[in-house]
Amino acid sequence: MLKLPRLFLGLLLALLCGTTVAAQTITTMAKGLDHPWSLAFLPDGRVLVTERPGRLRIINRDGSLGTIEGVPPVFARSQGGLFDVVLPPRFADNQTLYLSYAAGTNAANGTVIARARLEGRRLADLEVIWRNAPLKAGPVHFGGRMAWLPDATLVMSTGDGFDYREQAQVKSSGLGQIVRLHADGSFPADNPFPGSAVWSYGHRNPQGLALDPATGILWAHEHGPRGGDEVNRIEKGRNYGWPVATKGLDYSGATISPFKSYPGMVEPRVVWIPSIAPSGLAVYRGAMFPEWNGSLIVGALAAQEVRRVVLDAGGRELSQERILPQLKARVRDVRVAPDGALWLTTDDAAGSVLRVTPR
């Protein structure tokens, strides 16, 4: 049997799939939002939106925009603030939602997870279930993306705190990790490191985390320094290299590490040099864009674009395409709605929520 190089297969697949950019309609669902960070789809058709300064908004079925009261105080400075909102598998039964956010002061802060019950236009019985440790100084690199695994445990990404990057290699630290919790914040007994929330480590600042509902594979992407943004398949107990191994440079141009890879550390599935500053990640599974099924959808801040990464059956990159070239905006979040539409948030002081459908 003739064996073709992977790159050639990727190009061939891209040609067979054809370009998708001419067949999309972008509809503005909400605008004038202050750095909208995340989206969650309620069962009744309404949509929750977090704003980084600390507001939780709701897009009603008639298109009007409301505010949910009772959000906890957040540390809203630079990259800090209110991050993700996710609904647990049994949301329809208990109306409980989960928020991640930065809490504390500039001298001592960390990423926090809280849960609360949604009662009309307010949050009730808010409870902090997990606080990251150690605390760090400075308003950057919090991570903050959450996802539910098939066993109903919750995972969340944490950043390395920028000036604390060596902590990402410390398995007892909460910096530069992906953590796994029960719904009440307790640590599952089968976590890889006894008495710890850590699920994987060696991460820099992951702001994309998504479960493939068809395969159960957990994917994450993270910001590299100057170059070296990564997409990784996340597996229990694995070391993803930062800062021992990186394909990027320091912002000054200096070498961070002499190693681009290192024995025992996981190699990324996708690398971007130069950086695109990825934020928001979804695995497309839906009816509106069947040609996208199984692809990773990646938002980008610096590159101001949305990328589709085509994977083979083994989860290796075949090709990429920019699916919304007409969109010139910093994309913070990407989500697949229950009907298969793609939803985005744009990172701006007057940001928008956008819905992408076939033309």
Side-chain angles (χ1 to χ4, degrees):
M1 179 181 293
L2 179 62
K3 294 184 177 180
L4 300 176
R6 184 181 299 275
L7 178 60
F8 179 81
L9 287 173
L11 293 172
L12 179 61
L13 181 60
L15 288 172
L16 292 174
C17 290
T19 180
T20 61
V21 297
Q24 299 159 5
T25 297
I26 301 176
T27 303
T28 300
M29 307 303 292
K31 59 184 179 180
L33 298 169
D34 194 344
H35 294 91
W37 215 91
S38 179
L39 298 165
F41 303 99
L42 295 172
D44 63 7
R46 296 178 299 163
V47 181
L48 296 172
V49 187
T50 60
E51 289 180 288
R52 197 175 66 206
R55 287 179 294 275
L56 180 61
R57 310 298 297 275
I58 188 164
I59 304 173
N60 295 304
R61 290 187 296 271
D62 63 3
S64 62
L65 189 63
T67 301
I68 304 297
E69 303 296 335
V71 174
V74 305
F75 171 59
R77 181 179 172 188
S78 184
Q79 296 175 10
L82 180 60
F83 304 135
D84 219 347
V85 54
V86 295
L87 309 181
R90 297 188 61 187
F91 175 82
D93 297 331
N94 56 31
Q95 302 295 297
T96 298
L97 57 79
Y98 287 70
L99 299 171
S100 63
Y101 56 96
T105 67
N106 192 59
N109 59 71
T111 311
V112 170
I113 301 175
R115 64 179 179 179
R117 191 173 65 257
L118 181 61
E119 290 187 347
R121 294 298 181 90
R122 62 183 291 270
L123 299 180
D125 300 329
L126 187 131
E127 173 190 14
V128 173
I129 65 166
W130 187 79
R131 293 182 183 273
N132 200 7
L135 297 179
K136 64 179 187 62
V140 295
H141 287 205
F142 294 92
R145 288 289 180 194
M146 297 186 287
W148 292 95
L149 297 184
D151 62 0
T153 57
L154 178 67
V155 289
M156 186 186 75
S157 66
T158 70
D160 68 349
F162 190 75
D163 289 326
Y164 305 82
R165 62 192 184 197
E166 292 80 8
Q167 289 284 313
Q169 287 295 317
V170 179
K171 294 188 285 292
S172 60
S173 173
L175 297 176
Q177 323 283 9
I178 290 175
V179 299
R180 175 174 173 256
L181 308 166
H182 285 304
D184 63 0
S186 60
F187 304 161
D190 61 343
N191 272 5
F193 310 111
S196 171
V198 173
W199 185 247
S200 66
Y201 63 108
H203 301 284
R204 186 172 182 268
N205 189 25
Q207 290 190 333
L209 193 62
L211 182 78
D212 185 339
T215 65
I217 294 172
L218 181 65
W219 294 96
H221 64 52
E222 60 187 78
H223 294 274
R226 184 174 168 184
D229 298 341
E230 298 180 0
V231 174
N232 289 293
R233 176 174 172 169
I234 302 303
E235 296 178 286
K236 176 180 178 179
R238 301 299 302 274
N239 183 347
Y240 288 83
W242 177 256
V244 174
T246 176
K247 294 175 173 57
L249 298 172
D250 191 78
Y251 292 117
S252 68
T255 298
I256 294 169
S257 169
F259 304 108
K260 293 186 177 181
S261 60
Y262 198 83
M265 298 181 180
V266 180
E267 277 287 290
R269 298 298 179 96
V270 181
V271 177
W272 286 291
I273 300 174
S275 294
I276 66 169
S279 184
L281 175 67
V283 182
Y284 190 85
R285 298 288 181 184
M288 285 198 183
F289 299 99
E291 68 276 19
W292 293 359
N293 270 314
S295 297
L296 303 181
I297 310 297
V298 179
L301 298 166
Q304 299 188 20
E305 64 184 20
V306 180
R307 297 240 181 149
R308 179 170 80 102
V309 180
V310 182
L311 304 174
D312 67 13
R316 300 286 178 180
E317 178 191 359
L318 287 176
S319 64
Q320 295 186 34
E321 67 169 333
R322 187 178 185 185
I323 59 175
L324 298 170
Q326 69 272 46
L327 181 66
K328 307 295 184 184
R330 289 167 53 87
V331 177
R332 173 60 71 181
D333 196 19
V334 296
R335 302 279 172 165
V336 180
D339 64 1
L342 181 67
W343 287 56
L344 318 171
T345 68
T346 64
D347 183 60
D348 191 87
S352 299
V353 176
L354 308 175
R355 181 174 183 256
V356 181
T357 55
R359 183 164 301 178

